[in-house]
Amino acid sequence: MFKSGLSRFTRCFGLLAVSASLGLSSLSAQAGVMPPSPEIGAKGYVLLDLTTGQTLADFNSHERLEPASLTKLMTAYLAFAALESKQIKPDQVVPISTYAWKAEGSRMFVEPNKPVTVDELLKGVIVQSGNDASRAIAELLAGDEANFATLMNREAQRLGMKETSFKNATGLPDPQHYTTANDLAILAKRIILDFPTHYKLYSTKEYTYNGIRQPNRNRLLWIDPSVDGMKTGHTESAGYCLISSANRKLPNGSDRRLLAVVLGTASDQARTQESLKLLNYGFQMFDTVKLYSARQPIATSVVYKGQEKEIKLGVPKDLLINVPKGAAANLKASVEKKESLVAPIKAGTVLGNLKLTLDNETLATVPLQALSNVEEAGFFGRMVDSAKMWINN
């Protein structure tokens, strides 16, 4: 019933806003339609829904802050990429330098004369948050940590982390080592989406190396069974930080994944509690609504000088959006499209936009793409349509 009403609405109204990407634009945390977010005791935070691409809550998400050991997400990301490209192998033995062995702070307890593999080092980085393991990975991939930091910054720019500067592989304090909650969310999201098999390491609750058993510092792995990652961080100057991700089932059986980045809390307990608050807020205060299926026609436009007289517009992936709990019936959609198009047209070309509003607040704009190719008509067909276009204009 909702979908049919929505379809009728799309045929009647125009759209003003234009989005350059297929993904939904962010829900504004300040929008009047948003349910009030919980009080979070942190220097900065952001809550993303990775299923819809929406930002559900944020505070100081673009403020420059220290990442502490959350830095190791990038260390792991580069290692995952090297594994996927066969640059390194999981069972490859890595030599341990004195520099890595003497790393201060949290450690995996590697030793210079004891063989250790890439797979073991990654567990040391991810589960035990080992600074020694992180330095060993850096030296393996780039020769030394300074060169590795260059690789980290290059990759950060490629991923769109424009508010980040890395100086080391560990997260130990440095005046030029900083990031933001928003940039860390970008990085965490890319690990989950780009390396789903390797991401499973982040749910490991403990790891033993060199006879020393160490638990994962992410307490949410024991508290909430839907949480399957990701990483803790702490220094005296950064405070206690946590990036957490949880996957829960929607009523229709499909998955919904949220990602919370919480920076600069007062204690280990606080980062756990504040992260859980954010995750529960996202799951409990919003409904996920499926508006259209992948490649479902949403609108049509007339085509001149083509072998087809019209073209259907839609989206290449299922279109879902989060709305405040119980507000789905008030969601409205409108379409802006060019009524007269000229062939040839390639499938995937953006030819219009879909605007989603709730109580007069814009929630998202989504580009509408051509669902098929339209080839150019023959000479006679083009001549006839040229005449039609001249008359209509």
Side-chain angles (χ1 to χ4, degrees):
M1 185 172 178
F2 170 76
K3 274 205 269 187
S4 64
L6 183 64
S7 298
R8 287 196 298 272
F9 193 94
T10 63
R11 290 194 291 267
C12 302
F13 296 84
L15 174 66
L16 300 178
V18 176
S19 174
S21 64
L22 175 64
L24 296 172
S25 61
S26 295
L27 266 166
S28 170
Q30 286 73 42
V33 298
M34 294 288 289
S37 57
E39 291 291 331
I40 302 296
K43 295 177 182 177
Y45 65 81
V46 64
L47 176 67
L48 300 184
D49 187 315
L50 298 192
T51 303
T52 67
Q54 290 169 279
T55 299
L56 301 181
D58 77 300
F59 172 73
N60 285 344
S61 61
H62 293 278
E63 180 177 341
R64 183 182 293 184
L65 296 169
E66 293 184 49
S69 284
L70 301 183
T71 298
K72 296 182 176 84
L73 290 179
M74 180 59 84
T75 303
Y77 187 93
L78 290 171
F80 296 156
L83 285 168
E84 292 293 313
S85 67
K86 310 299 183 184
Q87 178 184 343
I88 58 176
K89 298 178 180 180
D91 59 355
Q92 180 176 337
V93 176
V94 181
I96 301 300
S97 68
T98 302
Y99 177 73
W101 173 50
K102 290 187 175 181
E104 57 185 295
S106 55
R107 300 174 63 197
M108 177 187 177
F109 296 102
V110 294
E111 297 177 5
N113 299 319
K114 186 181 176 102
V116 59
T117 65
V118 169
D119 182 63
E120 289 172 320
L121 285 173
L122 277 172
K123 291 174 183 174
V125 170
I126 292 168
V127 184
Q128 300 171 329
S129 198
N131 291 337
D132 50 358
S134 298
R135 285 182 174 180
I137 289 288
E139 291 174 338
L140 171 67
L141 296 180
D144 61 42
E145 192 172 22
N147 287 336
F148 188 71
T150 300
L151 296 182
M152 296 171 78
N153 287 316
R154 186 181 302 162
E155 192 66 13
Q157 289 301 306
R158 188 188 73 82
L159 295 175
M161 299 170 63
K162 301 184 183 302
E163 303 164 330
T164 294
S165 171
F166 292 119
K167 294 296 288 184
N168 57 63
T170 61
L172 290 171
D174 185 286
Q176 296 303 311
H177 192 91
Y178 56 81
T179 187
T180 64
N182 184 73
D183 273 10
L184 286 170
I186 292 172
L187 176 56
K189 175 183 176 180
R190 292 275 34 112
I191 289 176
I192 294 169
L193 298 181
D194 296 348
F195 305 110
T197 300
H198 297 301
Y199 171 69
K200 294 176 183 178
L201 285 172
Y202 288 95
S203 64
T204 305
K205 291 184 176 181
E206 64 177 44
Y207 181 59
T208 300
Y209 178 78
N210 205 9
I212 302 169
R213 183 183 69 84
Q214 296 188 67
N216 194 316
R217 294 171 175 82
N218 181 3
R219 296 189 183 191
L220 287 180
L221 293 175
W222 284 268
I223 295 172
D224 186 336
S226 70
V227 172
D228 54 13
M230 289 188 71
K231 187 73 186 72
T232 61
H234 170 254
T235 63
E236 184 176 348
S237 52
Y240 290 82
C241 309
L242 175 61
I243 297 178
S244 53
S245 183
N247 191 66
R248 299 182 189 177
K249 294 289 184 182
L250 294 170
N252 64 7
S254 60
D255 291 332
R256 182 183 179 209
R257 179 174 289 281
L258 298 186
L259 177 70
V261 179
V262 174
L263 304 180
T265 68
S267 67
D268 181 8
Q269 182 179 10
R271 71 182 172 191
T272 302
Q273 292 176 339
E274 304 304 86
S275 297
L276 189 57
K277 273 190 207 175
L278 269 183
L279 292 172
N280 284 335
Y281 164 78
F283 282 118
Q284 295 169 7
M285 300 301 291
F286 295 89
D287 290 324
T288 303
V289 180
K290 180 179 177 180
L291 303 184
Y292 296 100
S293 298
R295 301 189 58 76
Q296 175 186 345
I298 297 174
T300 60
S301 286
V302 174
V303 178
Y304 288 101
K305 301 184 181 182
Q307 295 181 14
E308 306 292 336
K309 298 303 180 184
E310 66 177 24
I311 190 167
K312 294 180 172 62
L313 312 182
V315 290
K317 299 187 294 185
D318 288 352
L319 179 55
L320 299 95
I321 189 170
N322 287 307
V323 296
K325 186 74 69 174
N330 298 323
L331 184 64
K332 297 179 180 180
S334 55
V335 169
E336 181 187 60
K337 60 187 178 66
K338 188 174 181 180
E339 293 296 341
S340 301
L341 304 170
V342 178
I345 300 171
K346 291 184 178 181
T349 302
V350 175
L351 299 175
N353 294 279
L354 181 70
K355 181 179 181 180
L356 304 173
T357 60
L358 183 66
D359 297 338
N360 298 318
E361 295 268 6
T362 299
L363 295 186
T365 56
V366 184
L368 295 177
Q369 300 181 8
L371 295 180
S372 61
N373 295 319
V374 176
E375 303 296 335
E376 195 175 45
F379 176 78
F380 180 75
R382 297 199 306 274
M383 290 293 292
V384 170
D385 279 0
S386 292
K388 289 181 180 177
M389 293 174 69
W390 183 82
I391 293 171
N392 290 338
N393 291 333

